[in-house]
Amino acid sequence: MVRRLASWAAPLLVGVVAFVACRLAMMPGLGFWDTAELQVVAPVMGTAHPTGFPTYVLLGWLANLVLAPFGEAAFRMNLFAGLCIAAAAAVTVDLVRTLTRSTALGVMAGLGLALTAIVWKNGTQAEAHALHLVLIAILLRLLVAWEQDERDRTLIAAAAVYGLAAGNHSLTLLLAPPIVLYVLAVDREVLRRPRFLVACLGTAVATLALVYLELPLRAGPFRAPIVYGRPETWDGFWYIALAEQFRGSVVGPFEDLPAKAADLIARTVDAFGPLAALVPLAFVVTAIRRPRYAILTGTTVALTCFFAASYINAMIDRYYIVPVLMAWTWLAVLAEAIARAAGDVVAGERRPHRV
């Protein structure tokens, strides 16, 4: 028990530091645009704009109750965002510690993630992307744990978290192909277990369906005071759930690729500063040392960045927070490789030379 508690000391400490950093610049009250909408909709368990964000609404409603002593509802939803970033940083510590067997590198990656400008900013105001980040961090941790133990329940738990994440933000759908590739890379024999695969898929779909029941229930028999559209009707539900309002927002995905690449480089420099030059090398080293994890995260980053570069209907910098998380884990793997190589050199120099 003491050892288990000690193992959580580092993630807890990083989580506290991350939350304090967000709290210092936290919006004191009601914001505007999506922030204001989420601040108002979640506490009354209403319906937000497409895709409805039911996971955020449900968890935000619960957070609003738990945080009731801490100010008005709008501020409590800002606190919820800060707690999400803190939790994401704490989970990152454990994820990196598992990948590198180093608590120090886990702390480095967790703090680096929390203090990256775009991540930190998402923790200072009500924001669905803050919840998206922590859910994806938990999903990655469960998938890596499954690679180690290959217990059925671990992958099923990952499927449930995937369903929650998809109910929070549709960017989660971009992770489906990388997860499939990762699962096959870890255990191809899983294809011979159709019942287990159906159980995993069913868990994800059932979780997603359960959270999306919030839309018709709160627009129909248990009507909330704030409801976007008509999700109590069949057509109205799918209009919101499928975000039909934003059709056509992906423009010219294969156009002007050099400009998009330059923009991605600029964003990487803004996020990582001098470390930006090491990110590609860090991925290469991760591909060598952790090839399955590199398949999972590399394809996710590629798909997310490609989509974000072509999407015109959002404050697009928020769409890069999951790639930022994954890049920090790559940098930690690179640091571990450098430290191990340096240790081998020192050990070699200390060995007595035979004459």
Side-chain angles (χ1 to χ4, degrees):
M1 178 64 73
V2 174
R3 184 176 298 177
R4 180 173 295 181
L5 290 174
S7 70
W8 280 103
L12 180 61
L13 178 61
V14 169
V16 169
V17 171
F19 179 75
V20 170
C22 292
R23 178 65 185 88
L24 289 174
M26 190 165 287
M27 184 179 291
L30 192 65
F32 60 95
W33 203 36
D34 288 358
T35 294
E37 180 190 24
L38 295 176
Q39 287 173 324
V40 174
V41 168
V44 300
M45 203 188 298
T47 302
H49 71 276
T51 58
F53 307 98
T55 299
Y56 179 89
V57 169
L58 291 169
L59 293 180
W61 174 80
L62 179 60
N64 181 63
L65 293 181
V66 173
L67 299 173
F70 301 99
E72 62 179 4
F75 180 65
R76 293 197 291 268
M77 299 316 299
N78 296 340
L79 285 176
F80 178 48
L83 290 171
C84 286
I85 295 301
V91 173
T92 300
V93 174
D94 192 50
L95 171 62
V96 168
R97 180 168 56 190
T98 302
L99 292 171
T100 65
R101 296 178 296 278
S102 169
T103 298
L105 292 176
V107 170
M108 176 203 78
L111 290 175
L113 173 69
L115 299 178
T116 300
I118 185 54
V119 175
W120 169 77
K121 181 180 178 182
N122 275 265
T124 62
Q125 58 194 34
E127 179 57 70
H129 288 271
L131 179 58
H132 179 61
L133 181 65
V134 67
L135 289 174
I136 298 305
I138 294 171
L139 177 61
L140 291 176
R141 182 64 187 91
L142 287 170
L143 289 172
V144 171
W146 176 71
E147 179 180 351
Q148 293 180 326
D149 59 36
E150 293 193 21
R151 294 179 183 176
D152 290 355
R153 64 185 183 185
T154 305
L155 194 58
I156 288 176
V161 173
Y162 181 88
L164 287 174
N168 177 63
H169 204 286
S170 55
L171 277 176
T172 306
L173 300 177
L174 296 176
L175 273 80
I179 290 173
V180 171
L181 292 174
Y182 177 77
V183 169
L184 293 177
V186 172
D187 181 17
R188 287 189 179 180
E189 294 301 313
V190 76
L191 292 175
R192 299 185 179 182
R193 303 175 60 199
R195 290 185 180 179
F196 175 58
L197 292 177
V198 169
C200 291
L201 180 60
T203 298
V205 172
T207 303
L208 181 61
L210 282 173
V211 296
Y212 261 101
L213 277 176
E214 186 267 338
L215 270 66
L217 288 178
R218 293 298 284 168
F222 307 100
R223 188 169 182 87
I226 300 175
V227 174
Y228 187 100
R230 298 289 304 277
E232 73 276 19
T233 68
W234 183 255
D235 290 340
F237 173 83
W238 289 113
Y239 177 82
I240 293 177
L242 299 179
E244 293 185 12
Q245 174 180 332
F246 300 113
R247 283 187 179 180
S249 295
V250 178
V251 177
F254 295 101
E255 294 178 4
D256 206 6
L257 294 180
K260 292 178 179 178
D263 178 69
L264 180 59
I265 292 171
R267 291 181 184 277
T268 304
V269 173
D270 286 343
F272 295 96
L275 294 177
L278 295 177
V279 171
L281 174 62
F283 174 71
V284 171
V285 172
T286 301
I288 295 171
R289 301 182 70 84
R290 292 281 183 175
R292 294 162 179 167
Y293 183 74
I295 290 173
L296 172 64
T297 55
T299 51
T300 298
V301 168
L303 288 172
T304 303
C305 291
F306 181 76
F307 176 82
S310 304
Y311 192 74
I312 61 171
N313 201 334
M315 290 177 61
I316 207 63
D317 54 350
R318 301 173 297 173
Y319 282 44
Y320 291 96
I321 59 173
V322 166
V324 166
L325 161 65
M326 294 175 174
W328 274 112
T329 66
W330 299 344
L331 288 168
V333 173
L334 172 63
E336 182 230 356
I338 293 172
R340 190 174 293 272
D344 291 342
V345 169
V346 171
E349 292 177 350
R350 289 179 178 175
R351 289 185 194 136
H353 296 282
R354 294 183 180 178
V355 179

